[in-house]
């Protein structure tokens, strides 16, 4: 009868819902995971992730720091950290991270040719992310900084639901178009119960190197206004500075190469 069919459907639905989210399993050897995310691409998230990882290590030399590039389609950590080559395998068949400036790094960029596009569907991407997380010999890390791809899709959800995350940092420019997506990123983490540590406003002001006049190319207070709306802190306000861009492009991030500079 239709009544018993409806009841069977309800029971089945309740059974599926009762399973809840996937059980979070820590990454072996990693104490705290911090994710760097943005709703939109091109806002300087990878640059910020690299410099945060280096700053964590520079602020306390007793801490071991790792950096995971979770952007499968557009990995940029190898270039920014001046690393090339393929990871070696341990006897347990785990990949050994490549190291520079004392930071253990893992990226899809180490596994494919630099110019080769990764033309994959979602399931293959998810499998690759899982391998980069779990099949790596991270050793003993105090912090693992994960540079997420832009957006709020499969990778972000999978990482958030499968490993315990100490906190997320959202990077955005002050531009309205970027802020729309940054807000979605923050709301996504809240939905999956990941604490949002705060926002970083990147490319906030440009100072002319000749006359020192300051121009707010992408707007002035966008991120601080969004932070107030969401009840979050602004963790940093980074200028649009040629040194920050040049040092990352040359594989010598500003925190390492020019630690005393304003940038």
């Amino acid at each position: 009868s239709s009544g018993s069919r409806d009841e069977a459907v309800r029971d089945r639905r309740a059974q599926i819902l009762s399973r809840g989210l996937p059980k979070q399993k820590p990454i072996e050897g990693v104490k705290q995971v911090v994710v760097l995310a943005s709703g939109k691409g091109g806002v300087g998230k990878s640059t910020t992730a690299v410099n945060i990882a280096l700053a964590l290590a520079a602020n306390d030399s007793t801490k071991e720091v790792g950096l995971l590039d979770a952007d499968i389609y557009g990995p940029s950590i190898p270039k920014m950290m001046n690393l090339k080559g393929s990871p070696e395998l341990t006897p347990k068949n785990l990949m050994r991270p490549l190291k520079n400036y004392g930071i253990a790094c893992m990226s899809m960029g180490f596994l494919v040719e630099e110019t080769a596009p990764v033309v994959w569907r979602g399931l293959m991407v998810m499998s690759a992310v899982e391998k980069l997380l779990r099949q790596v010999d991270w050793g003993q890390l105090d912090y693992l900084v994960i540079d997420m791809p832009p957006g709020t899709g499969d990778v972000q959800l999978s990482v958030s639901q499968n490993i315990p995350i100490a906190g997320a940092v959202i990077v955005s420019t002050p531009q309205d178009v970027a802020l729309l997506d940054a807000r979605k990123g923050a709301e996504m983490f809240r939905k999956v119960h990941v604490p949002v540590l705060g926002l970083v406003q990147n490319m906030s002001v440009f100072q002319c190197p000749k006359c020192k006049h300051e121009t707010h190319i992408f707007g002035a207070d966008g991120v601080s206004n969004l932070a107030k709306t969401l009840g979050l802190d602004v963790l940093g306000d980074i200028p649009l500075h040629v040194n920050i861009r040049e040092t990352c492009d040359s594989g010598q991030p500003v925190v390492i190469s020019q630690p005393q500079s304003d940038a």
Side-chain angles (χ1 to χ4, degrees), residues 29-195:
V30 177
K31 286 184 188 168
Q32 307 231 51
V33 175
V34 178
V35 297
L36 268 283
S38 69
K40 190 166 284 303
V43 296
K45 172 182 47 57
S46 295
T47 302
T48 308
V50 162
N51 281 299
I52 282 178
L54 291 164
L56 283 168
N59 281 341
D60 187 343
S61 58
T62 66
K63 301 292 186 195
E64 289 294 325
V65 181
L67 179 59
L68 171 62
D69 187 351
D71 195 342
I72 302 298
Y73 293 120
S76 47
I77 297 303
K79 184 171 181 62
M80 291 182 176
M81 289 296 285
N82 197 24
L83 285 166
K84 275 187 177 171
S86 302
E88 294 175 356
L89 291 177
T90 69
K92 289 184 177 176
N93 227 23
L94 298 175
M95 292 182 284
R96 278 204 180 96
L98 274 60
K99 253 190 167 182
N100 197 11
Y101 311 123
I103 308 291
C105 301
M106 184 49 65
S107 169
M108 192 68 198
F110 301 146
L111 307 175
V112 294
E113 288 292 321
E114 194 175 1
T115 55
V118 176
V119 189
W120 287 356
R121 291 189 182 275
L123 282 172
M124 291 169 76
V125 171
M126 301 315 297
S127 172
V129 169
E130 183 68 15
K131 284 182 172 63
L132 292 176
L133 284 170
R134 305 272 181 209
Q135 292 184 19
V136 174
D137 179 10
W138 289 108
Q140 295 298 313
L141 293 183
D142 294 284
Y143 302 107
L144 177 62
V145 177
I146 301 183
D147 178 23
M148 294 279 228
T152 55
D154 285 348
V155 172
Q156 290 82 351
L157 277 173
S158 180
V159 171
S160 305
Q161 291 175 352
N162 284 306
I163 60 171
I165 294 172
V169 175
I170 311 288
V171 182
S172 180
T173 62
Q175 188 180 4
D176 287 351
V177 174
L179 291 166
L180 282 172
D181 291 344
R183 178 168 192 163
K184 288 173 191 166
E187 297 290 7
M188 182 208 79
F189 284 118
R190 283 179 165 172
K191 271 195 168 142
V192 292
H193 310 297
V194 170

